[in-house]
Every structure is written in C-alpha cells, then in structure tokens.
Amino acid sequence: MSEDTRSIELTRIAENHYRATAPGGASIEFGRGEGLMTPVELLLAAVAGCSSIDVDTVTSRRTEPTRFDVSASADKIDEDGASRVDNVHLDFDLAFPDDKDGQRADSQIEKLVGLSHDKYCTVSRTVEHPTTVDFSIRRD
C-alpha cells in the first residue's frame, strides 16, 4: 500500500445491510432494502459529492450559494451477465446571490466543473480510468 492509502471498514448489520466506517469514525449504512442506498447509488453519490466539494470550496470563498443541488445518473448495463454502470452524468443546479460576489462565483462554474472532472475529483477520475481491484480472504 502507498503512504497515502484511503480505507474503510465494513461490517454486516443484517442480511443485505452494512455499515462502512472511516478511520475518523464517520459511518454510513447501505445495502439492499427499504431506507438503504445501494452500493451503486453510493458510487453515484461519491462522484457527485467529490465534484461538489471541488466546486463548493472555491465558490464559497466568494459567497454562499442560494441553491446547490447536484443529481447523478448512470446507465446500468449487462455485458454477458456481468453488470456495471456507464454514461455517468452529473447535473449541477446552482444559483448565487444577484450581487458582485455572486456573479463572480457564477462565472467560475464551467471552469471549476471542468477542473474537477479533468484533475481534482479522485472519484470520477478513478471511475474513468482502469483501476486494479483485488481481494484477499481470511477465515477463522
């Protein structure tokens, strides 16, 4: 592992119900069932969240947005029985105050979304590039 490794711990709560916990203690429950986000929905949330943080960090230096909503969608596809998502799309719905600072923040949106996509968002860049995923198994 690298010096800059990211990690979570996953614990089964019940059938198809899991809790992921980050090293700092933050956690989220997910799975399959009522009231739970699926892993694919979490992936979309991660892509949208990563880019949102990039955009929000810079625009909030100028002013607070009056609206900051992002929706994420993707097509689930089947490739010979193996599923994955493709065509991930983010739709930013942003508004800023109608003043000088709001106009300056608004004028940066296209550039910031582009930089997030091309350079800063680790999640979307990982999804777009081939990424090694391996595993190990421990048994008692």
Side-chain angles (χ1 to χ4, degrees):
M1 287 196 191
S2 75
E3 291 180 25
D4 199 19
T5 299
R6 303 294 195 261
S7 65
I8 61 98
E9 294 292 327
L10 185 126
T11 302
R12 181 181 185 268
I13 303 301
E15 182 179 355
N16 292 314
H17 185 169
Y18 309 92
R19 179 184 300 119
T21 304
S27 66
I28 187 167
E29 292 186 19
F30 66 97
R32 187 180 304 154
E34 187 174 332
L36 296 173
M37 291 181 101
T38 68
V40 171
E41 291 164 340
L42 284 176
L43 175 68
L44 293 175
V47 173
C50 186
S51 286
S52 293
I53 289 170
D54 292 339
V55 173
D56 192 31
T57 298
V58 177
T59 58
S60 292
R61 291 179 189 150
R62 304 261 183 243
T63 189
E64 280 295 304
T66 56
R67 185 176 62 251
F68 198 116
D69 298 315
V70 181
S71 60
S73 61
D75 298 325
K76 186 173 181 182
I77 60 174
D78 183 300
E79 295 175 325
D80 298 322
S83 61
R84 67 180 184 90
V85 295
D86 198 10
N87 302 316
V88 176
H89 177 77
L90 300 181
D91 182 36
F92 286 82
D93 183 11
L94 310 173
F96 298 93
D98 190 18
D99 59 18
K100 183 178 177 182
D101 288 336
Q103 292 166 358
R104 288 181 70 192
D106 187 70
S107 72
Q108 295 179 298
I109 298 303
E110 283 81 10
K111 178 182 177 183
L112 294 172
V113 169
L115 283 169
S116 178
H117 175 268
D118 296 340
K119 187 174 183 179
Y120 296 118
C121 179
T122 302
V123 178
S124 64
R125 290 185 45 77
T126 300
V127 169
E128 287 189 326
H129 291 81
T131 302
T132 302
V133 177
D134 65 358
F135 62 91
S136 58
I137 299 170
R138 291 184 304 182
R139 293 187 177 96
D140 288 334

